[in-house]
Amino acid sequence: MPKLKTLYTVSIFLIFTAIYYAGSFTKIPFADCVGFVLDAEKGTFITTATATSHFLYINTVILIKNIFELNGIEASRLLIVLSGAATVSVIYLTVKSITKTEWASVTAAFVFGFSFSFWRNAEIVEVYTYNTLWVSLFFFAIIKSFIENKKQYIIWAGVFLGISLWVHIQNILLIPSFFAFLFYFKSEKKYTYPSLFIFGLLFASLFILNMSQGLPFKSPYSSDQGNWVEESFRKTFMQYVKDFFQSFVYLIYNFNIFTFFGVMGAVFLYNSNRKMFFVFLAGSLCVYGFSTFYAVSDNYVFFLPFNVIFALSLGYGLAHPKYTAIKKLSWVCLLIPLGYFIAYKAVIQTEKGTAFHNFKKYKGGLNYYMLPWMNNNEGILEFTINKKTAPEPINWMTVSAVEYIKLLKSKGYTEEEIKKL
């Protein structure tokens, strides 16, 4: 049995490495991508851990760049693709631990691996895929502690969550889940105290590092690039309602018909293991609530930690004896990519879909928003060199693009060569 689990783990990793690499971006996409590649190409290690510097992510990319002598683009691609595939394997291992059911574990892993938000981020230059890997390891340690009674994983939960804060500060939203977890193991002081201490040390180190360099105390969780949190509290009631319903659209687009099993999995877990249910509920409510109302245009990426929890619940739901007959239809998860294509074709034929496609055409239109694969995409560098204009403000992207173009030219690249990057 252990050999079979290893075989499945490695196979899933290799399959999704191939999928994510095959669909990976051809040219540096829009959004924050060019800023991350620019930092990587500069090769100067980040020494501060602010809300937007993503200390561990950038420094890991630079380390890969130096070790394998890659450019910033390929070093970023390597980390993202491998992190994505590794996360899907962790989802499989976690569901297998809680359900002891092979087919449900594999199905849950494929559904998560094909989920739009995660698939998209595994194919562009962003921090969220690497961050999701650490989050998935945190929940893996929690389930190992509950289900297999392996107490050493109590310590690992604190380690993984603490490290994740150095990747993305959003993970402070998982602290209530961590505290609830430690509360249920409060009698295991030999493990809970070290776990809490290591987590506290890793968390406090963010503040110590920044303050030692003259940054204010709040720097790890604040940014001078925007007031997104403050703006989130200034919305009208109807905007909040719209945000709430939009979050359901995200959920269904990510998990399609398998959304039902995610919901039922939560119900089954509540009935069978209250303690574990409340640990996951604490994390779910905080992450889902924040992501729903956060005042940024691409708030879908902030749901990824919640999506990890939902994928685990989905696997638990599938494995319930009530749905044994579903095993014969589990192969349907392989049709998820086709579902995205059909949805894209249906929307683009509508009047509003066509209008949206034309408005966003400068960065790929509906292709960018509804199809997760990113090969043959529109590139920010070519857009900037050709002095194209967008129907909406994107100067925060082009500023980094201009700087990156200058850096590449200083290394001997021609404009025609840069356009292909």
Side-chain angles (χ1 to χ4, degrees):
M1 191 65 72
K3 289 184 178 179
L4 183 62
K5 185 167 71 171
T6 300
L7 176 63
Y8 275 113
T9 303
V10 174
S11 298
I12 288 171
F13 175 78
L14 293 176
I15 289 170
F16 279 94
T17 295
I19 290 172
Y20 294 154
Y21 184 81
S24 186
F25 64 95
T26 303
K27 301 175 182 178
I28 299 174
F30 286 72
D32 294 331
C33 299
V34 67
F36 287 124
V37 174
L38 173 61
D39 287 339
E41 194 65 43
K42 287 178 179 177
T44 303
F45 287 102
I46 303 295
T47 59
T48 57
T50 67
T52 54
S53 67
H54 305 301
F55 178 95
L56 188 57
Y57 169 71
I58 292 297
N59 289 338
T60 303
V61 173
I62 293 174
L63 189 63
I64 291 173
K65 174 177 176 288
N66 293 343
I67 292 174
F68 297 102
E69 298 182 347
L70 301 171
N71 60 34
I73 296 174
E74 294 309 318
S76 300
R77 192 195 310 274
L78 181 62
L79 177 61
I80 291 163
V81 168
L82 294 182
S83 295
T87 303
V88 180
S89 292
V90 172
I91 294 295
Y92 159 75
L93 289 170
T94 310
V95 177
K96 183 62 167 39
S97 179
I98 193 174
T99 67
K100 313 301 181 188
T101 307
E102 206 70 67
W103 74 269
S105 306
V106 173
T107 303
F110 269 82
V111 172
F112 179 80
F114 284 147
S115 62
F116 179 85
S117 298
F118 187 75
W119 189 353
R120 156 57 56 78
N121 278 277
E123 299 197 347
I124 63 175
V125 191
E126 283 276 17
V127 65
Y128 303 103
T129 308
Y130 188 48
N131 181 60
T132 308
L133 174 59
W134 291 105
V135 170
S136 68
L137 287 170
F138 167 62
F139 289 119
F140 172 76
I142 286 178
I143 283 185
K144 280 286 187 178
S145 302
F146 271 115
I147 301 300
E148 299 183 13
N149 203 30
K150 293 183 177 180
K151 301 298 191 302
Q152 67 270 28
Y153 281 100
I154 297 174
I155 298 176
W156 281 111
V159 172
F160 292 140
L161 184 59
I163 291 174
S164 76
L165 295 176
W166 286 80
V167 183
H168 203 298
I169 197 62
Q170 181 205 357
N171 297 325
I172 60 174
L173 297 170
L174 295 175
I175 293 178
S177 184
F178 178 58
F179 283 171
F181 167 68
L182 292 183
F183 173 77
Y184 289 126
F185 285 95
K186 58 182 179 295
S187 61
E188 302 291 342
K189 295 180 175 59
K190 179 182 175 181
Y191 300 98
T192 56
Y193 285 176
S195 180
L196 184 60
F197 174 78
I198 293 172
F199 169 75
L201 182 62
L202 288 168
F203 191 15
S205 296
L206 291 168
F207 299 88
I208 295 170
L209 175 68
N210 288 356
M211 292 174 69
S212 69
Q213 297 175 75
L215 295 180
F217 176 80
K218 66 177 183 178
S219 57
Y221 57 85
S222 63
S223 171
D224 56 3
Q225 298 181 21
N227 299 309
W228 302 293
V229 175
E230 291 84 349
E231 291 171 4
S232 301
F233 291 101
R234 296 172 186 158
K235 295 181 179 182
T236 65
F237 175 75
M238 288 310 299
Q239 285 177 313
Y240 287 125
V241 172
K242 180 182 177 182
D243 289 343
F244 187 68
F245 281 103
Q246 182 174 272
S247 70
F248 282 105
V249 174
Y250 288 156
L251 182 66
I252 294 171
Y253 201 64
N254 274 289
F255 294 103
N256 47 79
I257 60 174
F258 290 95
T259 304
F260 170 79
F261 298 102
V263 174
M264 294 309 299
V267 173
F268 296 146
L269 185 63
Y270 175 80
N271 292 329
S272 63
N273 194 324
R274 263 336 134 74
K275 293 179 179 179
M276 191 157 62
F277 171 82
F278 284 117
V279 168
F280 284 107
L281 180 65
S284 298
L285 291 177
C286 291
V287 174
Y288 195 92
F290 169 81
S291 305
T292 297
F293 303 117
Y294 194 36
V296 292
S297 58
D298 58 350
N299 66 324
Y300 77 97
V301 296
F302 295 100
F303 286 93
L304 282 171
F306 169 79
N307 289 357
V308 170
I309 298 173
F310 196 81
L312 303 181
S313 181
L314 187 158
Y316 193 67
L318 282 173
H320 195 276
K322 185 177 181 181
Y323 302 121
T324 303
I326 299 297
K327 180 179 180 179
K328 296 178 180 179
L329 298 174
S330 59
W331 57 268
V332 171
C333 67
L334 300 177
L335 299 179
I336 292 174
L338 178 61
Y340 293 131
F341 185 74
I342 293 173
Y344 163 78
K345 285 294 186 180
V347 172
I348 202 169
Q349 291 179 29
T350 66
E351 184 177 340
K352 287 187 177 181
T354 301
F356 183 86
H357 178 73
N358 292 331
F359 182 76
K360 298 285 188 177
K361 201 166 186 178
Y362 71 94
K363 62 178 178 181
L366 275 176
N367 304 56
Y368 182 86
Y369 286 92
M370 296 193 70
L371 301 177
W373 43 88
M374 288 296 293
N375 47 336
N376 299 318
N377 64 299
E378 298 293 330
I380 182 67
L381 298 185
E382 183 178 23
F383 178 92
T384 305
I385 289 174
N386 290 338
K387 294 182 170 56
K388 292 182 179 180
T389 57
E392 55 187 338
I394 62 167
N395 60 300
W396 52 279
M397 303 181 206
T398 54
V399 167
S400 295
V402 168
E403 187 179 351
Y404 186 47
I405 291 167
K406 288 180 179 178
L407 178 61
L408 290 175
K409 284 183 176 180
S410 71
K411 294 185 175 185
Y413 285 82
T414 65
E415 283 196 351
E416 290 305 312
E417 290 173 328
I418 295 173
K419 288 179 183 179
K420 298 176 182 179
L421 299 177

